[in-house]
PDB file of all heavy atoms in Angstrom:
ATOM      1  N   GLU A 216      88.118   0.910  85.667  1.00  0.00           N
ATOM      2  CA  GLU A 216      88.122  -0.542  85.765  1.00  0.00           C
ATOM      3  C   GLU A 216      88.037  -0.997  87.224  1.00  0.00           C
ATOM      4  O   GLU A 216      87.312  -1.933  87.556  1.00  0.00           O
ATOM      5  CB  GLU A 216      89.387  -1.126  85.108  1.00  0.00           C
ATOM      6  CG  GLU A 216      89.450  -0.967  83.603  1.00  0.00           C
ATOM      7  CD  GLU A 216      89.859   0.437  83.163  1.00  0.00           C
ATOM      8  OE1 GLU A 216      90.295   1.258  84.022  1.00  0.00           O
ATOM      9  OE2 GLU A 216      89.734   0.734  81.957  1.00  0.00           O
ATOM     10  N   MET A 217      88.796  -0.354  88.090  1.00  0.00           N
ATOM     11  CA  MET A 217      88.757  -0.692  89.508  1.00  0.00           C
ATOM     12  C   MET A 217      87.362  -0.454  90.090  1.00  0.00           C
ATOM     13  O   MET A 217      86.829  -1.279  90.840  1.00  0.00           O
ATOM     14  CB  MET A 217      89.790   0.150  90.279  1.00  0.00           C
ATOM     15  CG  MET A 217      91.235  -0.142  89.934  1.00  0.00           C
ATOM     16  SD  MET A 217      92.373   1.149  90.537  1.00  0.00           S
ATOM     17  CE  MET A 217      92.132   1.034  92.301  1.00  0.00           C
ATOM     18  N   ILE A 218      86.772   0.675  89.742  1.00  0.00           N
ATOM     19  CA  ILE A 218      85.517   1.084  90.362  1.00  0.00           C
ATOM     20  C   ILE A 218      84.307   0.372  89.761  1.00  0.00           C
ATOM     21  O   ILE A 218      83.428  -0.124  90.484  1.00  0.00           O
ATOM     22  CB  ILE A 218      85.354   2.617  90.234  1.00  0.00           C
ATOM     23  CG1 ILE A 218      86.397   3.322  91.103  1.00  0.00           C
ATOM     24  CG2 ILE A 218      83.944   3.063  90.599  1.00  0.00           C
ATOM     25  CD1 ILE A 218      86.335   2.953  92.566  1.00  0.00           C
ATOM     26  N   VAL A 219      84.218   0.309  88.446  1.00  0.00           N
ATOM     27  CA  VAL A 219      83.018  -0.230  87.786  1.00  0.00           C
ATOM     28  C   VAL A 219      83.123  -1.732  87.580  1.00  0.00           C
ATOM     29  O   VAL A 219      82.232  -2.490  87.994  1.00  0.00           O
ATOM     30  CB  VAL A 219      82.770   0.491  86.444  1.00  0.00           C
ATOM     31  CG1 VAL A 219      81.563  -0.114  85.731  1.00  0.00           C
ATOM     32  CG2 VAL A 219      82.552   1.990  86.667  1.00  0.00           C
ATOM     33  N   THR A 220      84.204  -2.186  86.960  1.00  0.00           N
ATOM     34  CA  THR A 220      84.330  -3.613  86.638  1.00  0.00           C
ATOM     35  C   THR A 220      84.529  -4.452  87.897  1.00  0.00           C
ATOM     36  O   THR A 220      83.830  -5.454  88.103  1.00  0.00           O
ATOM     37  CB  THR A 220      85.512  -3.848  85.675  1.00  0.00           C
ATOM     38  OG1 THR A 220      85.398  -2.966  84.554  1.00  0.00           O
ATOM     39  CG2 THR A 220      85.510  -5.280  85.182  1.00  0.00           C
ATOM     40  N   GLU A 221      85.468  -4.050  88.749  1.00  0.00           N
ATOM     41  CA  GLU A 221      85.825  -4.869  89.908  1.00  0.00           C
ATOM     42  C   GLU A 221      84.914  -4.628  91.116  1.00  0.00           C
ATOM     43  O   GLU A 221      84.514  -5.579  91.790  1.00  0.00           O
ATOM     44  CB  GLU A 221      87.281  -4.592  90.303  1.00  0.00           C
ATOM     45  CG  GLU A 221      88.280  -4.968  89.211  1.00  0.00           C
ATOM     46  CD  GLU A 221      89.698  -4.527  89.543  1.00  0.00           C
ATOM     47  OE1 GLU A 221      89.978  -4.250  90.737  1.00  0.00           O
ATOM     48  OE2 GLU A 221      90.523  -4.441  88.613  1.00  0.00           O
ATOM     49  N   ASN A 222      84.563  -3.366  91.385  1.00  0.00           N
ATOM     50  CA  ASN A 222      83.818  -3.042  92.602  1.00  0.00           C
ATOM     51  C   ASN A 222      82.307  -2.980  92.411  1.00  0.00           C
ATOM     52  O   ASN A 222      81.573  -2.904  93.400  1.00  0.00           O
ATOM     53  CB  ASN A 222      84.298  -1.708  93.174  1.00  0.00           C
ATOM     54  CG  ASN A 222      85.703  -1.780  93.747  1.00  0.00           C
ATOM     55  OD1 ASN A 222      86.371  -2.805  93.646  1.00  0.00           O
ATOM     56  ND2 ASN A 222      86.145  -0.706  94.359  1.00  0.00           N
ATOM     57  N   GLY A 223      81.845  -2.957  91.165  1.00  0.00           N
ATOM     58  CA  GLY A 223      80.408  -2.966  90.918  1.00  0.00           C
ATOM     59  C   GLY A 223      79.710  -1.630  91.058  1.00  0.00           C
ATOM     60  O   GLY A 223      78.481  -1.568  91.153  1.00  0.00           O
ATOM     61  N   SER A 224      80.473  -0.521  91.090  1.00  0.00           N
ATOM     62  CA  SER A 224      79.858   0.801  91.107  1.00  0.00           C
ATOM     63  C   SER A 224      79.198   1.081  89.756  1.00  0.00           C
ATOM     64  O   SER A 224      79.511   0.434  88.752  1.00  0.00           O
ATOM     65  CB  SER A 224      80.897   1.874  91.424  1.00  0.00           C
ATOM     66  OG  SER A 224      80.298   3.152  91.485  1.00  0.00           O
ATOM     67  N   ASP A 225      78.291   2.049  89.728  1.00  0.00           N
ATOM     68  CA  ASP A 225      77.484   2.282  88.528  1.00  0.00           C
ATOM     69  C   ASP A 225      77.862   3.523  87.737  1.00  0.00           C
ATOM     70  O   ASP A 225      77.782   3.531  86.510  1.00  0.00           O
ATOM     71  CB  ASP A 225      76.003   2.381  88.921  1.00  0.00           C
ATOM     72  CG  ASP A 225      75.503   1.110  89.553  1.00  0.00           C
ATOM     73  OD1 ASP A 225      75.613   0.051  88.905  1.00  0.00           O
ATOM     74  OD2 ASP A 225      75.015   1.156  90.700  1.00  0.00           O
ATOM     75  N   ILE A 226      78.250   4.586  88.432  1.00  0.00           N
ATOM     76  CA  ILE A 226      78.518   5.867  87.770  1.00  0.00           C
ATOM     77  C   ILE A 226      79.844   6.406  88.283  1.00  0.00           C
ATOM     78  O   ILE A 226      80.081   6.445  89.495  1.00  0.00           O
ATOM     79  CB  ILE A 226      77.385   6.877  88.042  1.00  0.00           C
ATOM     80  CG1 ILE A 226      76.080   6.397  87.387  1.00  0.00           C
ATOM     81  CG2 ILE A 226      77.749   8.272  87.521  1.00  0.00           C
ATOM     82  CD1 ILE A 226      74.872   7.232  87.760  1.00  0.00           C
ATOM     83  N   ILE A 227      80.708   6.840  87.359  1.00  0.00           N
ATOM     84  CA  ILE A 227      81.979   7.448  87.744  1.00  0.00           C
ATOM     85  C   ILE A 227      81.819   8.967  87.745  1.00  0.00           C
ATOM     86  O   ILE A 227      81.194   9.537  86.856  1.00  0.00           O
ATOM     87  CB  ILE A 227      83.134   7.019  86.819  1.00  0.00           C
ATOM     88  CG1 ILE A 227      82.866   7.392  85.349  1.00  0.00           C
ATOM     89  CG2 ILE A 227      83.377   5.514  86.939  1.00  0.00           C
ATOM     90  CD1 ILE A 227      84.065   7.154  84.427  1.00  0.00           C
ATOM     91  N   ILE A 228      82.366   9.605  88.768  1.00  0.00           N
ATOM     92  CA  ILE A 228      82.319  11.062  88.884  1.00  0.00           C
ATOM     93  C   ILE A 228      83.718  11.601  88.634  1.00  0.00           C
ATOM     94  O   ILE A 228      84.669  11.229  89.323  1.00  0.00           O
ATOM     95  CB  ILE A 228      81.831  11.491  90.276  1.00  0.00           C
ATOM     96  CG1 ILE A 228      80.441  10.910  90.568  1.00  0.00           C
ATOM     97  CG2 ILE A 228      81.813  13.017  90.378  1.00  0.00           C
ATOM     98  CD1 ILE A 228      79.947  11.175  91.979  1.00  0.00           C
ATOM     99  N   VAL A 229      83.838  12.482  87.647  1.00  0.00           N
ATOM    100  CA  VAL A 229      85.144  13.014  87.238  1.00  0.00           C
ATOM    101  C   VAL A 229      85.050  14.528  87.148  1.00  0.00           C
ATOM    102  O   VAL A 229      84.086  15.062  86.592  1.00  0.00           O
ATOM    103  CB  VAL A 229      85.580  12.440  85.875  1.00  0.00           C
ATOM    104  CG1 VAL A 229      86.980  12.953  85.496  1.00  0.00           C
ATOM    105  CG2 VAL A 229      85.556  10.918  85.891  1.00  0.00           C
TER     106      VAL A 229
END
Side-chain angles (χ1 to χ4, degrees):
E216 292 78 11
M217 294 165 63
I218 292 302
V219 177
T220 309
E221 298 173 18
N222 290 5
S224 182
D225 299 303
I226 294 172
I227 59 172
I228 302 174
V229 183

